[in-house]
Amino acid sequence: MTGRGDLLREVMLDTSTTQAELSRISGVRQPSISQFLSGKVELSDEQLDRLLSCMGYRLEVIRRPVEPKLNRSERRSWELHRRLSSQLNDGTLGEWRHTIEHNLERLHSRVTGQPHLRNLEHWSSLVQRGDLLGLHRVMTGLDRPSIEMREVSPMSGLLSADQRADVLAKRG
């Protein structure tokens, strides 16, 4: 995947535009352009589009869904947490709070090292604040931090045996 600085460099080369010239045309200071090109400072899509337009180009961003590569355990955990997330609301959080807090205490006594301890603190904070949106994000997120959060999830024991079996049977 090409970085934004690389795209900027490519168009500068194609148009024979120097850093000094791009600075004069765009009003962006030359040292900033140098940092964009070196990757020391990350360009936003908006900034890159603005600089490209000074050279007669536009930025086209193509968005498409991509299925992440999860291992079997990560996929299983995501599916179980997804089912719980579908049931999560103010009422169920209240009903589940005792079990979640008990699970957090148990995990705190057994888990060592980072990022697990930090993730347990994050879980604790989300539950304590009643942050439903944050809990939904962690329970269904496919980013690496969410996957790691689920490795020390305090949500065990909240699905019935039938619900759990139903989720695992659909894995096919």
Side-chain angles (χ1 to χ4, degrees):
M1 183 170 173
T2 304
R4 291 179 186 102
D6 295 329
L7 289 173
L8 179 61
R9 178 180 295 102
E10 182 181 318
V11 172
M12 288 175 70
L13 289 170
D14 285 350
T15 60
S16 301
T17 305
T18 65
Q19 290 182 32
E21 184 179 4
L22 183 56
S23 175
R24 282 192 305 277
I25 298 167
S26 68
V28 175
R29 296 181 33 189
Q30 184 276 324
S32 295
I33 293 170
S34 176
Q35 290 182 322
F36 296 149
L37 292 169
S38 69
K40 289 181 182 172
V41 174
E42 186 64 31
L43 275 161
S44 69
D45 286 341
E46 185 178 321
Q47 290 168 317
L48 179 57
D49 188 51
R50 172 70 184 105
L51 291 172
L52 293 179
S53 70
C54 293
M55 297 178 284
Y57 282 73
R58 294 296 316 263
L59 178 64
E60 178 181 66
V61 178
I62 299 171
R63 301 200 189 282
R64 60 185 171 89
V66 176
E67 186 173 356
K69 295 189 182 349
L70 299 177
N71 65 35
R72 185 173 183 257
S73 175
E74 291 167 344
R75 172 65 61 184
R76 180 175 176 244
S77 177
W78 176 80
E79 289 170 348
L80 291 167
H81 281 84
R82 181 174 180 260
R83 169 63 72 88
L84 277 170
S85 183
S86 73
Q87 299 172 16
L88 179 64
N89 58 47
D90 283 323
T92 54
L93 182 57
E95 294 169 17
W96 296 346
R97 188 175 296 272
H98 176 75
T99 301
I100 293 170
E101 289 173 351
H102 175 75
N103 288 341
L104 283 166
E105 288 176 23
R106 183 178 47 81
L107 288 164
H108 270 292
S109 70
R110 296 181 181 172
V111 170
T112 59
Q114 297 297 350
H116 297 315
L117 291 172
R118 181 177 53 251
N119 290 337
L120 282 175
E121 289 305 315
H122 191 197
W123 277 114
S124 294
S125 174
L126 291 170
V127 171
Q128 190 174 52
R129 292 189 328 259
D131 184 349
L132 293 176
L133 183 57
L135 286 166
H136 283 291
R137 284 181 180 155
V138 168
M139 293 168 73
T140 62
L142 292 170
D143 55 290
R144 185 53 43 192
S146 294
I147 292 168
E148 290 176 0
M149 286 281 292
R150 290 190 297 270
E151 290 175 3
V152 290
S153 172
M155 301 297 176
S156 62
L158 298 175
L159 287 177
S160 70
D162 288 342
Q163 290 171 322
R164 186 176 170 81
D166 181 53
V167 169
L168 297 177
K170 290 181 180 174
R171 293 184 64 234

PDB file of all heavy atoms in Angstrom, residues 60-72:
ATOM      1  N   GLU A  60      -8.033  10.358  -5.342  1.00  0.00           N
ATOM      2  CA  GLU A  60      -9.197   9.488  -5.361  1.00  0.00           C
ATOM      3  C   GLU A  60      -8.988   8.429  -4.284  1.00  0.00           C
ATOM      4  O   GLU A  60      -7.992   7.707  -4.300  1.00  0.00           O
ATOM      5  CB  GLU A  60      -9.357   8.808  -6.726  1.00  0.00           C
ATOM      6  CG  GLU A  60     -10.528   7.864  -6.786  1.00  0.00           C
ATOM      7  CD  GLU A  60     -10.655   7.185  -8.137  1.00  0.00           C
ATOM      8  OE1 GLU A  60      -9.765   6.387  -8.485  1.00  0.00           O
ATOM      9  OE2 GLU A  60     -11.641   7.475  -8.830  1.00  0.00           O
ATOM     10  N   VAL A  61      -9.893   8.375  -3.354  1.00  0.00           N
ATOM     11  CA  VAL A  61      -9.830   7.381  -2.285  1.00  0.00           C
ATOM     12  C   VAL A  61     -10.870   6.321  -2.589  1.00  0.00           C
ATOM     13  O   VAL A  61     -12.047   6.630  -2.758  1.00  0.00           O
ATOM     14  CB  VAL A  61     -10.101   8.025  -0.903  1.00  0.00           C
ATOM     15  CG1 VAL A  61     -10.078   6.973   0.194  1.00  0.00           C
ATOM     16  CG2 VAL A  61      -9.088   9.123  -0.619  1.00  0.00           C
ATOM     17  N   ILE A  62     -10.429   5.092  -2.667  1.00  0.00           N
ATOM     18  CA  ILE A  62     -11.333   3.983  -2.951  1.00  0.00           C
ATOM     19  C   ILE A  62     -11.543   3.213  -1.657  1.00  0.00           C
ATOM     20  O   ILE A  62     -10.589   2.747  -1.039  1.00  0.00           O
ATOM     21  CB  ILE A  62     -10.756   3.057  -4.041  1.00  0.00           C
ATOM     22  CG1 ILE A  62     -10.559   3.847  -5.328  1.00  0.00           C
ATOM     23  CG2 ILE A  62     -11.660   1.851  -4.246  1.00  0.00           C
ATOM     24  CD1 ILE A  62      -9.813   3.108  -6.393  1.00  0.00           C
ATOM     25  N   ARG A  63     -12.777   3.113  -1.252  1.00  0.00           N
ATOM     26  CA  ARG A  63     -13.114   2.382  -0.037  1.00  0.00           C
ATOM     27  C   ARG A  63     -13.826   1.100  -0.451  1.00  0.00           C
ATOM     28  O   ARG A  63     -14.719   1.102  -1.282  1.00  0.00           O
ATOM     29  CB  ARG A  63     -14.019   3.224   0.849  1.00  0.00           C
ATOM     30  CG  ARG A  63     -13.364   4.533   1.227  1.00  0.00           C
ATOM     31  CD  ARG A  63     -13.997   5.149   2.440  1.00  0.00           C
ATOM     32  NE  ARG A  63     -13.535   6.487   2.686  1.00  0.00           N
ATOM     33  CZ  ARG A  63     -12.379   6.809   3.238  1.00  0.00           C
ATOM     34  NH1 ARG A  63     -11.548   5.870   3.598  1.00  0.00           N
ATOM     35  NH2 ARG A  63     -12.047   8.067   3.436  1.00  0.00           N
ATOM     36  N   ARG A  64     -13.406   0.008   0.160  1.00  0.00           N
ATOM     37  CA  ARG A  64     -14.036  -1.271  -0.118  1.00  0.00           C
ATOM     38  C   ARG A  64     -13.950  -2.126   1.136  1.00  0.00           C
ATOM     39  O   ARG A  64     -13.010  -2.002   1.910  1.00  0.00           O
ATOM     40  CB  ARG A  64     -13.383  -1.975  -1.300  1.00  0.00           C
ATOM     41  CG  ARG A  64     -11.921  -2.274  -1.101  1.00  0.00           C
ATOM     42  CD  ARG A  64     -11.285  -2.856  -2.355  1.00  0.00           C
ATOM     43  NE  ARG A  64      -9.858  -2.937  -2.192  1.00  0.00           N
ATOM     44  CZ  ARG A  64      -9.213  -3.977  -1.673  1.00  0.00           C
ATOM     45  NH1 ARG A  64      -9.872  -5.030  -1.280  1.00  0.00           N
ATOM     46  NH2 ARG A  64      -7.903  -3.968  -1.552  1.00  0.00           N
ATOM     47  N   PRO A  65     -14.926  -2.970   1.342  1.00  0.00           N
ATOM     48  CA  PRO A  65     -14.872  -3.838   2.521  1.00  0.00           C
ATOM     49  C   PRO A  65     -13.803  -4.906   2.336  1.00  0.00           C
ATOM     50  O   PRO A  65     -13.629  -5.449   1.243  1.00  0.00           O
ATOM     51  CB  PRO A  65     -16.272  -4.464   2.575  1.00  0.00           C
ATOM     52  CG  PRO A  65     -16.763  -4.387   1.167  1.00  0.00           C
ATOM     53  CD  PRO A  65     -16.121  -3.175   0.547  1.00  0.00           C
ATOM     54  N   VAL A  66     -13.093  -5.168   3.402  1.00  0.00           N
ATOM     55  CA  VAL A  66     -12.043  -6.181   3.387  1.00  0.00           C
ATOM     56  C   VAL A  66     -12.257  -7.074   4.601  1.00  0.00           C
ATOM     57  O   VAL A  66     -12.349  -6.593   5.725  1.00  0.00           O
ATOM     58  CB  VAL A  66     -10.646  -5.530   3.458  1.00  0.00           C
ATOM     59  CG1 VAL A  66      -9.560  -6.588   3.531  1.00  0.00           C
ATOM     60  CG2 VAL A  66     -10.426  -4.603   2.285  1.00  0.00           C
ATOM     61  N   GLU A  67     -12.365  -8.354   4.365  1.00  0.00           N
ATOM     62  CA  GLU A  67     -12.504  -9.284   5.488  1.00  0.00           C
ATOM     63  C   GLU A  67     -11.134  -9.481   6.127  1.00  0.00           C
ATOM     64  O   GLU A  67     -10.177  -9.864   5.451  1.00  0.00           O
ATOM     65  CB  GLU A  67     -13.058 -10.627   5.012  1.00  0.00           C
ATOM     66  CG  GLU A  67     -13.359 -11.558   6.160  1.00  0.00           C
ATOM     67  CD  GLU A  67     -14.062 -12.834   5.728  1.00  0.00           C
ATOM     68  OE1 GLU A  67     -14.382 -12.977   4.540  1.00  0.00           O
ATOM     69  OE2 GLU A  67     -14.265 -13.684   6.597  1.00  0.00           O
ATOM     70  N   PRO A  68     -11.038  -9.187   7.424  1.00  0.00           N
ATOM     71  CA  PRO A  68      -9.730  -9.313   8.083  1.00  0.00           C
ATOM     72  C   PRO A  68      -9.336 -10.777   8.242  1.00  0.00           C
ATOM     73  O   PRO A  68     -10.187 -11.668   8.248  1.00  0.00           O
ATOM     74  CB  PRO A  68      -9.957  -8.669   9.447  1.00  0.00           C
ATOM     75  CG  PRO A  68     -11.410  -8.844   9.700  1.00  0.00           C
ATOM     76  CD  PRO A  68     -12.069  -8.771   8.341  1.00  0.00           C
ATOM     77  N   LYS A  69      -8.055 -11.006   8.361  1.00  0.00           N
ATOM     78  CA  LYS A  69      -7.552 -12.353   8.554  1.00  0.00           C
ATOM     79  C   LYS A  69      -7.450 -12.609  10.055  1.00  0.00           C
ATOM     80  O   LYS A  69      -6.507 -12.164  10.702  1.00  0.00           O
ATOM     81  CB  LYS A  69      -6.203 -12.507   7.875  1.00  0.00           C
ATOM     82  CG  LYS A  69      -6.293 -12.375   6.377  1.00  0.00           C
ATOM     83  CD  LYS A  69      -5.004 -12.742   5.703  1.00  0.00           C
ATOM     84  CE  LYS A  69      -4.982 -12.598   4.220  1.00  0.00           C
ATOM     85  NZ  LYS A  69      -6.167 -12.375   3.507  1.00  0.00           N
ATOM     86  N   LEU A  70      -8.452 -13.303  10.586  1.00  0.00           N
ATOM     87  CA  LEU A  70      -8.464 -13.668  11.994  1.00  0.00           C
ATOM     88  C   LEU A  70      -8.160 -15.152  12.107  1.00  0.00           C
ATOM     89  O   LEU A  70      -8.624 -15.949  11.284  1.00  0.00           O
ATOM     90  CB  LEU A  70      -9.837 -13.400  12.616  1.00  0.00           C
ATOM     91  CG  LEU A  70     -10.354 -11.966  12.608  1.00  0.00           C
ATOM     92  CD1 LEU A  70     -11.756 -11.910  13.209  1.00  0.00           C
ATOM     93  CD2 LEU A  70      -9.417 -11.048  13.358  1.00  0.00           C
ATOM     94  N   ASN A  71      -7.413 -15.501  13.151  1.00  0.00           N
ATOM     95  CA  ASN A  71      -7.214 -16.931  13.365  1.00  0.00           C
ATOM     96  C   ASN A  71      -8.493 -17.520  13.966  1.00  0.00           C
ATOM     97  O   ASN A  71      -9.442 -16.801  14.279  1.00  0.00           O
ATOM     98  CB  ASN A  71      -5.969 -17.209  14.220  1.00  0.00           C
ATOM     99  CG  ASN A  71      -6.081 -16.688  15.637  1.00  0.00           C
ATOM    100  OD1 ASN A  71      -7.158 -16.697  16.239  1.00  0.00           O
ATOM    101  ND2 ASN A  71      -4.962 -16.235  16.176  1.00  0.00           N
ATOM    102  N   ARG A  72      -8.538 -18.807  14.108  1.00  0.00           N
ATOM    103  CA  ARG A  72      -9.758 -19.498  14.567  1.00  0.00           C
ATOM    104  C   ARG A  72     -10.227 -18.975  15.916  1.00  0.00           C
ATOM    105  O   ARG A  72     -11.413 -18.718  16.128  1.00  0.00           O
ATOM    106  CB  ARG A  72      -9.475 -20.999  14.632  1.00  0.00           C
ATOM    107  CG  ARG A  72     -10.660 -21.836  14.979  1.00  0.00           C
ATOM    108  CD  ARG A  72     -10.307 -23.331  14.856  1.00  0.00           C
ATOM    109  NE  ARG A  72     -11.465 -24.136  15.119  1.00  0.00           N
ATOM    110  CZ  ARG A  72     -11.670 -24.770  16.262  1.00  0.00           C
ATOM    111  NH1 ARG A  72     -10.790 -24.692  17.235  1.00  0.00           N
ATOM    112  NH2 ARG A  72     -12.763 -25.498  16.426  1.00  0.00           N
TER     113      ARG A  72
END
